[in-house]
Amino acid sequence: MPLRHASPLARLTEPHHGERRALLRAAVLLAGGLGAGALHLPARGQVRLPPNPFALGVASGSPRHDGVVLWTRLSGPRGFFGGLEPLDAPDVPVRWEVAEDERFARIVRSGQTLAAAALGHSVHVEVEGLAPDRWYFYRFLAGDARSPTGRTRTFPAPGAAAARLRLAYASCQRWEHGHFAAWRHLREEDPDAVLFLGDYIYEYPGASGAVRATDGRWVQALADYRQRYALYRSDPALQAMHAACPWLLTWDDHEVQNDYAGEQPGDSGPPVADFLAQRAQAYQAWYEHMPVRANVLVRALSGLAEGAALRVHGRLDFGSLASIVLLDPRQHRHPQACGPAGKLGSSYFDPAACPAWGDPARSMLGAEQEQWFEQAASATGTWTVIGQSTLLGPRDLRPGPGQRLWNDGWDGYPAARRRLTDALQRQRSSNPVVLGGDVHENWVGHVLADYADPRSAAVGVEFCGTSITSRSGGQARTAERLAENPHFVFADAERKGYGLCEFTPGRLTTTLRVVDDVRRADSGISTLARFAVQAGRAEVLRD
Ligand code: FE
Ligand code: CA
């Protein structure tokens, strides 16, 4: 009997819906680390591994005070084992170890799981029972192969005092647009965690003036998405950053398709007959490559949704110092409004000419997530960190009277934005700090109670990050745009890099770090600007 028939994933031979549900159920079983007996692990030596099965590296994420998710994905030189299609390839038993020391002399947790072919041979282990607020080392073993060693940490216990949290935020790492020198430098800065805010991959076949080549394909099906993630993870700087600390993640559009909105496709690539099927495959590939908990799959598991629907939003507390709220403004949003009739994707528009613009029925997060945010916004941390994919504050691109806005960001969903700032006030959110990405430009400013009223009080601060590599338009109009949108205090539309927030009980310091030349892997780095926010004052000051 072939090995795969011995595993619970044998049900994958069932077509379509049942297949996906069995797959998701298997993911939960595997991440939970059920014993070898329950999983019917193939005996040692039955599976022939490729020469370097851990070439995509290791990662960790979704930290709690007592545990963390460990990730790896086995890969072979031709994508899969011996050139077999994933479902024909065998599942592979993988051991994992967590130690207090880098030499694994003091192993505190270990176990065995399966790299399931149906999940691209990805491995997600949800480790529990770790001590709060400390660093650990981890690795995987398969056959005779041993993975690189990763380093990760737990968060402080709920309510426990914490002196400091160094949280990096980053987004938009288009492969063709540059090298990942930013990740190499961030690793040297040794943050506690990375908050990745979207556009982990781009689905395009390439770019004009590409610094690096992709395989030249439009990414539209599961095998394409897997290959694109594997390409990005082959980058040593990105791989090393994943191995250095836990990541918290949300996503934006390019993990699926440019400018898609909920269940509506965007405007890039050859037409696809069934967009929801494409989206489900993209979501599966994202799950396979990210150090996230299996419960992100739970809505699909319960059978409420056809195909994959992932629960990306969530909240993680860093002791009493910070509550990190992750939002998903992409999966549940209404389609963009105010563009030319019949046009998919994003557009620039004049809100005065678009009655649908302010329609309160239109949502960015979807009703369920909006409701959830009410609870999340009442978080108890000194700092309420809101990680979401894009720029929150309005960016009017027309100088003087009248407005020109972009409908893919919060500017296209003003009623939903108002509900978000209302919730912050209603729940008396403690020191809201909104972090974002998407626009490939650094924007720093104040979150206003009512953006429609320029005299409105600030209820929080915003740092929208530039891209790791993805291009932007340049500085020609930055000063003009800042003047037009005075809730922002700083903008830069040229430099690439990341932001590093250092939270203490009394103060937040945010440093914008930018690479000298995104086209060079050996690029240097420098500080573009530094800002300070005192706890209790929604005011961002140049430091
Ligand atoms: Fe982007
Ligand atoms: Ca204007």
Side-chain angles (χ1 to χ4, degrees):
M1 182 188 285
L3 283 176
R4 61 197 168 93
H5 289 156
S7 95
L9 298 176
R11 289 225 235 139
L12 285 170
T13 48
E14 295 166 22
H16 310 304
H17 193 68
E19 176 176 307
R20 187 167 302 283
R21 231 184 296 168
L23 185 154
L24 299 175
R25 192 177 300 114
V28 172
L29 280 173
L30 293 168
L34 282 192
L39 288 172
H40 304 289
L41 291 186
R44 192 183 162 80
Q46 281 183 282
V47 176
R48 243 183 63 125
L49 288 172
N52 181 16
F54 295 108
L56 299 182
V58 300
S60 70
S62 301
R64 292 178 178 160
H65 69 282
D66 60 350
V68 68
V69 176
L70 307 181
W71 174 95
T72 191
R73 180 187 159 207
L74 305 183
S75 69
R78 277 162 298 184
F80 287 94
F81 301 79
L84 292 169
E85 284 302 308
L87 287 178
D88 300 323
D91 301 332
V92 180
V94 176
R95 282 190 57 74
W96 54 271
E97 296 175 342
V98 178
E100 289 176 351
D101 64 309
E102 197 165 5
R103 296 177 157 192
F104 291 84
R106 297 189 306 279
I107 292 176
V108 293
R109 286 285 179 278
S110 62
Q112 185 159 238
T113 185
L114 267 188
L119 289 165
H121 290 108
S122 63
V123 173
H124 298 76
V125 177
E126 297 183 9
V127 183
E128 293 173 348
L130 301 179
D133 201 11
R134 65 157 299 163
W135 289 90
Y136 289 96
F137 297 88
Y138 63 94
R139 66 186 178 188
F140 298 93
L141 306 142
D144 299 327
R146 196 164 74 192
S147 76
T149 293
R151 186 170 164 268
T152 190
R153 63 161 300 153
T154 52
F155 278 4
R164 197 170 83 132
L165 164 64
R166 296 175 71 246
L167 180 68
Y169 62 98
S171 58
C172 295
Q173 50 182 3
R174 189 159 169 188
W175 179 268
E176 310 94 289
H177 285 181
H179 285 279
F180 294 162
W183 290 128
R184 183 167 49 80
H185 288 288
L186 177 57
R187 180 163 172 259
E188 285 162 15
E189 299 201 55
D190 199 17
D192 290 302
V194 170
L195 183 55
F196 193 84
L197 298 170
D199 289 358
Y200 192 100
I201 57 163
Y202 284 74
E203 80 283 17
Y204 299 115
S208 60
V211 175
R212 298 194 276 185
T214 67
D215 57 10
R217 294 167 64 90
W218 279 105
V219 174
Q220 294 186 308
L222 180 59
D224 309 325
Y225 286 108
R226 282 174 170 161
Q227 252 176 46
R228 191 57 58 96
Y229 280 107
L231 173 69
Y232 280 54
R233 283 291 173 84
S234 71
D235 183 280
L238 176 60
Q239 203 176 103
M241 192 67 245
H242 273 292
C245 71
W247 285 43
L248 320 174
L249 296 119
T250 183
W251 55 19
D252 197 21
D253 52 342
H254 289 284
E255 284 87 348
V256 179
Q257 183 196 23
N258 181 47
D259 286 347
Y260 91 91
E263 300 190 346
Q264 177 174 286
D267 62 356
S268 75
V272 169
D274 184 349
F275 174 69
L276 275 185
Q278 176 184 352
R279 196 185 83 156
Q281 292 173 67
Y283 285 7
Q284 179 178 335
W286 185 85
Y287 173 77
E288 288 175 353
H289 291 85
M290 296 302 147
V292 293
R293 294 180 186 276
N295 68 10
V296 306
L297 302 164
V298 84
R299 285 188 55 217
L301 259 185
S302 71
L304 292 176
E306 175 80 27
L310 269 55
R311 189 185 196 275
V312 171
H313 64 273
R315 190 184 117 198
L316 303 90
D317 288 345
F318 192 88
S320 64
L321 180 59
S323 295
I324 304 168
V325 179
L326 281 173
L327 297 181
D328 172 0
R330 187 55 67 175
Q331 181 178 189
H332 308 289
R333 62 160 70 184
H334 284 94
Q336 298 90 347
C338 309
K343 182 186 183 301
L344 293 173
S346 66
S347 307
Y348 293 96
F349 69 100
D350 173 1
C354 178
W357 180 55
D359 181 355
R362 297 184 62 249
S363 178
M364 186 75 145
L365 303 176
E368 192 181 319
Q369 189 179 183
E370 280 194 19
Q371 220 167 52
W372 170 86
F373 181 72
E374 282 286 340
Q375 299 307 309
S378 70
T380 52
T382 298
W383 301 93
T384 307
V385 183
I386 298 164
Q388 48 82 51
S389 320
T390 187
L391 183 71
L392 182 69
R395 195 171 48 161
D396 172 14
L397 303 171
R398 174 170 296 151
Q403 289 184 293
R404 179 176 157 84
L405 304 174
W406 184 52
N407 69 0
D408 192 61
W410 285 98
D411 276 340
Y413 303 79
R417 175 167 59 197
R418 181 66 193 271
R419 288 195 292 274
L420 187 137
T421 55
D422 281 353
L424 292 176
Q425 294 168 84
R426 220 172 11 246
Q427 301 300 333
R428 296 192 175 81
S429 296
S430 181
N431 298 301
V433 178
V434 175
L435 302 177
D438 178 39
V439 297
H440 307 171
E441 302 175 359
N442 271 303
W443 286 82
V444 177
H446 297 104
V447 176
L448 300 190
D450 177 6
Y451 285 109
D453 174 5
R455 294 158 306 164
S456 170
V459 298
V461 298
E462 172 169 24
F463 297 93
C464 184
T466 182
S467 51
I468 290 287
T469 55
S470 305
R471 286 178 195 148
S472 47
Q475 291 288 66
R477 310 191 73 175
T478 305
E480 170 190 296
R481 285 172 182 171
L482 261 177
E484 187 68 18
N485 299 279
H487 42 278
F488 290 114
V489 301
F490 177 88
D492 181 279
E494 188 167 328
R495 309 298 297 274
K496 306 289 127 200
Y498 54 86
L500 186 56
C501 295
E502 180 166 319
F503 297 93
T504 69
R507 178 182 158 108
L508 159 64
T509 310
T510 300
T511 308
L512 308 185
R513 300 281 278 162
V514 291
V515 295
D516 301 333
D517 185 348
V518 74
R519 295 166 301 175
R520 295 180 64 105
D522 64 354
S523 170
I525 195 147
S526 62
T527 293
L528 176 67
R530 181 177 286 123
F531 301 90
V533 182
Q534 299 297 326
R537 289 186 64 124
E539 184 181 20
V540 59
L541 297 168
R542 192 81 182 249
D543 195 30

